[in-house]
Amino acid sequence: MNTATTTQPTPHDAGHYPGGLMRWLTTTNHKDIGTMYLTFSLIMFFVGGLMILAVRAELFQPGLQLMQPEFFNQLIGVHALVMIFAALMPAATGFANWMLPLMIGAPDMALPRLNNWGFWLLPPAAILLTLPFTLALFGIGDGAIATGWTFYAPLSVQGGMGVDFAILAVHILGISSIMGSINIIVTIFNMRAPGMTMMKLPLFAWGWLITAFLLIATLPVLAGAVTMLLTDRHFGTHFFDAAGGGDPILFQHLFWFFGHPEVYILLLPVWGLMPHVLATFSRKPTYGYKAQVYSFIAIGLLSVVVWAHHFFTAGLPVPALFYFMFSTMAISLPLAVLFFCWIATMWKGAMSFETPMLFAVVFIVLFGIAGLTGLILADVAADAQYHHSYFVVAHFHYALFAGGIMGVMTGVYYWLPKWTGHMYSEKLGKLHFWLTVISFNLTFMPQFFLGLAGMPRRIPDYALQFAEFNAMSTVGAFILGLSQLIFAWNIWCCVRGGPKVDGRVWEGAEGLEWELSSPPPHHSWETQPVIK
Amino acid sequence: MTITAHFLRETAHCCAGISSSSLLTWRHLRRLAPLAPAWLPGVAQAAYSFNFPEPVTPIARETLHIHNEFMLIITVLFVVVFAIMIYSMIRHRKSVGHQAARFSGPRGALQWFWALVPFAILLFIDFVLMGIPAVKAVINMEDTQTRADMVLKVTGMQWKWQYEYPEAGIKFISTLATPRDQIANAEAKGEHYLLEVDQPVVLPVGKKVRVLLTSTDVIHTWWVPQFGVKRDAIPGFLRETWVLIEKPGIYRGQCAELCGKDHGFMPVVVHAVPEPEYLAWVDSKKAEAKAAAGSSERTWSKDELIAAGKEVYEKQCVACHQSEGQGLPPAFPALAGSKVIAGPLFDMNGKPAKDGHVDRVMNGKAGTAMQAFRNTLSDVELAAVITFERNSFGNQQGDMVQPAQIKALR
């Protein structure tokens, strides 16, 4: 074998993979798998989006117009599960698959078959999650999970078979994520180009490394919690039933032990990506590399010890309230370091504002709002008013839409020319950007005021004083939803054709991934580059 | 929703933090605002509330104060940080010919100093400026017992609240009073749409009320924004909070924890009245309870029971079993043609037949939303609603249950 490889120096670039569907079913190539993750993510983004547009349409006016409360409750929960587990997380994993080997000079991911399996678990899980909607149409069961994405017991113990479907789906999604994480950790630890020490690792890889560890640390806890729920539902256990010596709040502790780190799981890959984009379009080196790495680590550690701030109103003991309040506030310190480094990277650069840079800049501002409102949400006294109100809904959409999804859009525009070899339409990109930013704020800014005025979340109908802001929010949501069609169209056109780009793509781009051609060959870095 | 001038002023500077981030959008909103009533026929008032509603308890006042202070702090942070960024975006552009610097981190003592200053400022803000008022407020908020004048026990259940005054021996259920036709848009919506109940809680002004909370089924959250109080009602556990209402008035809130189908339809309404008025109300409630107890002794006619049962049904049962008894299968079974109703009421020993109609209504069904009404309805109400269900929706059992029979089962 050894001699065979040495006597055959030509890179087997020509695709010797099966054609058609079999190529995608059997592929172990990180680029193919990355493409599948990203495509799946985009499709599910629209599925989850359609669900919430139905919800916003119902909330346009007071009164029940389009649906009954049971269906409303199903839509909001499945929307969240789809967006978190099937849209945002696969997008980040898609980025990792595509970019990590290119960025660290590895020929592929370390565990290619595991990689393939990790992806192909996703479509069945997504089907499980949404199947109960279809079954209900045929009179089987009473629809999907109606507890919100948080599965709170005892409501979830009481719920119909949609809950069982969701539990199973979460298990499968969890297995997929853990396999993906193992792969990423192994790849980063073992397959870096010679000379690339950990402190020369691209920040995107650092962000993902912390994410992967968080996933491995916390997903098993979620799996345990939903399994306990399953046995409470069907096998007579009483983990969450006081009548049998259990405690409903135990579920909340277990769920949020996963649920809070999950926020950072969604955000860390994006935080890792931001410095690359900012440095590229500022034509200036990243500011405070080490500070950012240490901040990632600090945030990762802090994120697993602050979970109870999600249920301050459940009646925790006073010392616990203080502990969770101050540990939560402490997250603002490493986070502020990141903001400082992002802005310092831009400072005295030579900036230009192509679509990825526009998204990056607006990401910083809007995610800043999420961070600052998060800081005041940490306050136990004020949280009594914000908690379970639309204030929280607005807050976490600033974090997860503006922070998460707009971050993903930044990455897509930044790397799309690298992936396809074509430049996307800058005009459509900018149009998409402006429509998204304006309609996003039109959707979610009024929700801060709704929450302050006292509108609880997860209600299908509301009192008359909330009518105006809800109407605005719905108008914003529909513009936001429709604007994403431009995004999909722009990607489609860019994949199909467009002006050719060179390897570097952006004038200020630096890093190994830009040393390769655009698109990179099917097998890249067969000879590892050496970092000096 | 009226907002005092004071709040408008507070709002003006407090909410600047949020709105300044998106000036464009905000202007956009303002332009759309006059259009809003046109989109919403039947909504007379245009209400734009940008802050908490007027506080009427010490906790709510403290909370509002903290909120305003925090909003001010984060607004300043927001403006300062992004002013620097925007300045840089204007000055350090390639298109204006700015040459990129090459620095990649703090060099020299002075730069380290400037990098650490923001860190120190934030440390101060987190743990001193925000931390100290927060600690004070939390200690105050959790002190439910010092000098408490009375106890109110709140029990959440799908989808209504039960209120109990242990000292006065009063207990009643409070349900949504908004007609279903208003929700279905079949008639015009009233002023307090979805925020009105049949029997409000009555509390005396100026008294510290210790509120104990629990639930019979799933987790609910008792929330009245103007009290600054939000606390979960957890099945099998007691949680507590307190209110001291400073001003007479009617205060409205809602359940804040998703608790199933009618989560959006279980409001909280509190009437705060001066003490003499409160005591008079307590006396009238006691007299009412006494009369009800007396009426369970006498023999009722079937028509009387059916008429009374219809009223109970429309408050307690209609949300799940629906107005024509058709239910919402499979979660909420139909009563029309129900096997449970068609079965016998009592067994040979005079006990309720197992899984029979009386048993089901009094004891509920474990693992479903069907709750036990044994402790929430009176003898008369139980007898009436069972009799009503047996003789309505096409069910023609023809029999009835007397309040005395229910009383004998307790």
Side-chain angles (χ1 to χ4, degrees):
Chain A
M1 279 306 287
N2 273 339
T3 45
T5 41
T6 45
T7 53
Q8 218 182 40
T10 43
H12 37 237
D13 217 71
H16 55 111
Y17 40 74
L21 186 64
M22 282 314 280
R23 166 179 174 189
W24 301 102
L25 275 173
T26 59
T27 182
T28 52
N29 181 287
H30 73 101
K31 301 184 186 76
D32 282 358
I33 294 174
T35 303
M36 291 197 294
Y37 266 109
L38 290 166
T39 313
F40 175 79
S41 157
L42 188 63
I43 293 168
M44 295 313 285
F45 176 54
F46 280 97
V47 171
L50 278 176
M51 287 178 191
I52 212 60
L53 284 186
V55 164
R56 276 316 323 169
E58 174 56 55
L59 290 171
F60 183 55
Q61 288 190 3
L64 294 178
Q65 285 87 13
L66 304 171
M67 60 185 81
Q68 289 305 306
E70 304 88 295
F71 187 58
F72 180 94
N73 291 346
Q74 294 168 24
L75 285 179
I76 52 171
V78 180
H79 157 76
L81 288 168
V82 164
M83 286 303 199
I84 292 168
F85 287 100
L88 210 39
M89 283 168 75
T93 317
F95 282 172
N97 259 299
W98 246 107
M99 299 312 297
L100 276 182
L102 302 190
M103 290 171 116
I104 66 172
D108 202 313
M109 297 295 281
L111 310 163
R113 293 187 187 198
L114 190 81
N115 206 7
N116 173 292
W117 189 21
F119 171 76
W120 281 109
L121 283 176
L122 290 181
I127 290 170
L128 273 181
L129 208 50
T130 47
L131 189 65
F133 284 122
T134 323
L135 290 179
L137 287 181
F138 295 100
I140 305 167
D142 45 8
I145 183 169
T147 64
W149 82 287
T150 50
F151 290 89
Y152 274 11
L155 184 63
S156 52
V157 177
Q158 199 186 66
M161 71 177 190
V163 178
D164 302 319
F165 275 81
I167 289 173
L168 219 62
V170 163
H171 272 307
I172 297 176
L173 291 163
I175 292 169
S176 160
S177 289
I178 287 180
M179 293 195 305
S181 302
I182 291 172
N183 205 353
I184 284 164
I185 292 173
V186 174
T187 306
I188 292 176
F189 279 170
N190 294 302
M191 299 186 56
R192 299 190 309 277
M196 183 179 275
T197 59
M198 284 306 274
M199 287 319 265
K200 282 183 184 167
L201 199 61
L203 280 166
F204 175 71
W206 261 112
W208 240 114
L209 189 64
I210 307 297
T211 285
F213 274 107
L214 285 177
L215 279 167
I216 289 177
T218 62
L219 268 171
V221 178
L222 175 71
V226 294
T227 307
M228 287 155 85
L229 183 60
L230 195 71
T231 62
D232 263 19
R233 282 171 58 78
H234 297 295
F235 306 108
T237 57
H238 294 101
F239 292 112
F240 310 123
D241 182 0
D247 184 350
I249 301 303
L250 172 64
F251 184 85
Q252 302 189 8
H253 280 287
L254 293 175
F255 181 86
W256 287 112
F257 184 81
F258 152 80
H260 192 74
E262 173 68 12
V263 178
Y264 297 97
I265 286 165
L266 297 169
L267 291 174
L268 273 162
V270 170
W271 295 344
L273 152 71
M274 281 304 146
H276 295 274
V277 178
L278 293 170
T280 296
F281 295 99
S282 304
R283 295 164 179 81
K284 188 170 153 281
T286 299
Y287 183 90
Y289 172 90
K290 278 187 191 163
Q292 294 193 58
V293 170
Y294 296 143
S295 294
F296 287 171
I297 296 171
I299 291 171
L301 291 174
L302 280 171
S303 77
V304 283
V305 295
V306 298
W307 70 90
H309 66 224
H310 289 270
F311 45 98
F312 277 154
T313 64
L316 300 169
V318 175
L321 291 175
F322 287 148
Y323 164 71
F324 284 110
M325 170 164 75
F326 286 120
S327 56
T328 305
M329 284 182 170
I331 294 184
S332 68
L333 295 167
L335 200 51
V337 173
L338 291 183
F339 275 91
F340 183 82
C341 291
W342 294 335
I343 294 175
T345 301
M346 294 160 73
W347 186 256
K348 292 199 173 163
M351 278 182 261
S352 60
F353 294 91
E354 287 86 347
T355 309
M357 183 63 166
L358 288 173
F359 269 106
V361 167
V362 157
F363 158 88
I364 299 177
V365 177
L366 297 182
F367 181 64
I369 294 177
L372 290 170
T373 51
L375 188 59
I376 63 173
L377 273 162
D379 181 85
V380 176
D383 183 70
Q385 286 289 53
Y386 309 135
H387 186 68
H388 277 323
S389 80
Y390 260 85
F391 190 87
V392 172
V393 177
H395 158 74
F396 68 68
H397 280 97
Y398 272 82
L400 294 184
F401 193 105
I405 291 179
M406 285 194 195
V408 168
M409 287 168 179
T410 310
V412 169
Y413 282 114
Y414 183 54
W415 284 322
L416 197 57
K418 169 57 63 186
W419 299 333
T420 61
H422 305 134
M423 190 45 111
Y424 59 84
S425 157
E426 194 62 58
K427 215 165 124 189
L428 282 180
K430 288 201 165 114
L431 181 69
H432 170 231
F433 165 78
W434 284 110
L435 282 172
T436 301
V437 170
I438 291 168
S439 58
F440 169 80
N441 283 292
L442 180 58
T443 309
F444 293 106
M445 189 61 69
Q447 295 186 1
F448 278 120
F449 303 128
L450 282 173
L452 295 181
M455 179 167 164
R457 60 190 287 209
R458 294 170 167 162
I459 55 173
D461 193 6
Y462 48 81
L464 301 184
Q465 73 258 32
F466 306 129
E468 286 79 6
F469 281 135
N470 266 299
M472 278 181 209
S473 186
T474 296
V475 171
F478 273 85
I479 302 173
L480 185 58
L482 289 173
S483 315
Q484 303 321 311
L485 295 174
I486 303 173
F487 182 49
W489 174 248
N490 206 357
I491 294 172
W492 175 253
C493 293
C494 181
V495 171
R496 298 293 301 273
K500 292 256 178 289
V501 291
D502 61 2
R504 189 151 301 274
V505 182
W506 311 106
E507 189 188 13
E510 274 175 49
L512 285 180
E513 70 272 32
W514 308 106
E515 310 287 327
L516 294 164
S517 62
S518 302
H522 193 63
H523 297 286
S524 42
W525 295 135
E526 292 190 308
T527 312
Q528 287 204 303
V530 177
I531 313 292
K532 282 183 267 339
Chain B
M1 177 124 277
T2 54
I3 317 163
T4 61
H6 168 74
F7 280 101
L8 279 174
R9 238 183 299 120
E10 296 272 19
T11 303
H13 64 254
C14 296
C15 295
I18 288 179
S19 52
S20 66
S21 63
S22 49
L23 280 174
L24 224 179
T25 321
W26 198 232
R27 234 179 286 136
H28 211 79
L29 289 190
R30 296 253 165 176
R31 237 183 293 130
L32 283 174
L35 292 175
W39 303 340
L40 302 160
V43 180
Q45 81 271 44
Y48 294 96
S49 162
F50 298 98
N51 207 337
F52 294 157
E54 184 197 353
V56 294
T57 66
I59 288 184
R61 246 186 302 113
E62 200 171 0
T63 312
L64 175 70
H65 181 75
I66 286 177
H67 166 76
N68 287 339
E69 190 189 312
F70 287 5
M71 278 303 204
L72 196 66
I73 293 171
I74 65 173
T75 305
V76 171
L77 282 177
F78 188 87
V79 170
V80 170
V81 170
F82 291 108
I84 295 170
M85 190 180 91
I86 289 166
Y87 170 84
S88 172
M89 282 167 65
I90 294 169
R91 291 293 302 278
H92 308 145
R93 300 167 77 101
K94 193 190 176 198
S95 57
V96 297
H98 193 270
Q99 291 296 316
R102 295 303 301 169
F103 64 90
S104 64
R107 281 164 311 177
L110 193 67
Q111 285 183 17
W112 271 107
F113 174 77
W114 280 116
L116 288 174
V117 161
F119 200 81
I121 291 177
L122 203 62
L123 209 61
F124 176 74
I125 289 173
D126 276 8
F127 296 105
V128 179
L129 222 48
M130 293 175 79
I132 290 173
V135 167
K136 280 188 190 157
V138 172
I139 290 173
N140 188 18
M141 196 172 215
E142 297 300 319
D143 178 16
T144 56
Q145 294 182 32
T146 313
R147 286 196 300 277
D149 295 301
M150 60 177 281
V151 170
L152 172 71
K153 187 180 169 205
V154 180
T155 307
M157 46 187 81
Q158 287 172 319
W159 291 278
K160 53 210 159 215
W161 298 100
Q162 185 186 56
Y163 297 102
E164 194 177 341
Y165 299 68
E167 288 112 332
I170 300 171
K171 188 159 94 170
F172 60 89
I173 288 180
S174 173
T175 55
L176 178 73
T178 303
R180 297 264 145 185
D181 278 350
Q182 288 191 13
I183 296 168
N185 305 307
E187 60 179 73
K189 297 183 185 0
E191 189 191 349
H192 299 298
Y193 177 69
L194 296 188
L195 297 179
E196 50 201 347
V197 294
D198 57 346
Q199 296 198 71
V201 201
V202 178
L203 290 176
V205 169
K207 297 276 172 194
K208 179 165 176 175
V209 182
R210 185 178 169 202
V211 182
L212 303 179
L213 301 115
T214 189
S215 159
T216 59
D217 36 47
V218 302
I219 300 171
H220 302 272
T221 300
W222 196 76
W223 181 25
V224 181
Q226 285 179 277
F227 296 171
V229 160
K230 185 186 279 152
R231 187 60 30 117
D232 293 0
I234 300 163
F237 291 86
L238 268 186
R239 291 289 189 259
E240 54 185 322
T241 182
W242 64 278
V243 294
L244 192 157
I245 309 166
E246 292 166 328
K247 204 171 125 186
I250 300 175
Y251 303 109
R252 298 168 200 276
Q254 281 175 277
C255 175
E257 175 73 66
L258 179 60
C259 56
K261 183 169 83 70
D262 280 359
H263 161 54
F265 306 95
M266 52 182 291
V268 175
V269 179
V270 180
H271 280 207
V273 296
E275 201 182 2
E277 221 175 294
Y278 167 73
L279 292 174
W281 174 82
V282 168
D283 286 342
S284 73
K285 270 284 170 192
K286 277 184 180 166
E288 223 175 81
K290 213 171 169 188
S295 66
S296 65
E297 302 293 339
R298 74 174 172 90
T299 306
W300 288 55
S301 77
K302 200 162 89 184
D303 290 342
E304 272 181 315
L305 285 171
I306 290 176
K310 190 169 192 303
E311 265 182 51
V312 177
Y313 184 85
E314 277 163 7
K315 275 188 198 167
Q316 308 291 347
C317 319
V318 75
C320 300
H321 294 296
Q322 304 291 296
S323 58
E324 298 303 319
Q326 75 272 35
L328 292 164
F332 308 110
L335 296 186
S338 153
K339 277 188 199 149
V340 173
I341 290 177
L345 280 170
F346 297 98
D347 63 14
M348 286 178 312
N349 305 322
K351 296 259 181 273
K354 193 169 163 26
D355 290 326
H357 197 176
V358 174
D359 179 38
R360 184 57 46 84
V361 175
M362 286 184 76
N363 301 321
K365 185 176 179 187
T368 71
M370 181 63 195
Q371 53 191 270
F373 285 94
R374 170 186 286 275
N375 295 323
T376 51
L377 296 183
S378 69
D379 302 338
V380 174
E381 286 169 324
L382 283 167
V385 78
I386 293 170
T387 306
F388 167 74
E389 287 171 356
R390 299 184 74 74
N391 297 288
S392 311
F393 319 128
N395 298 329
Q396 290 168 333
Q397 296 306 116
D399 52 2
M400 59 175 155
V401 181
Q402 283 297 331
Q405 285 176 287
I406 301 288
K407 195 176 179 187
L409 294 173
R410 289 190 191 267

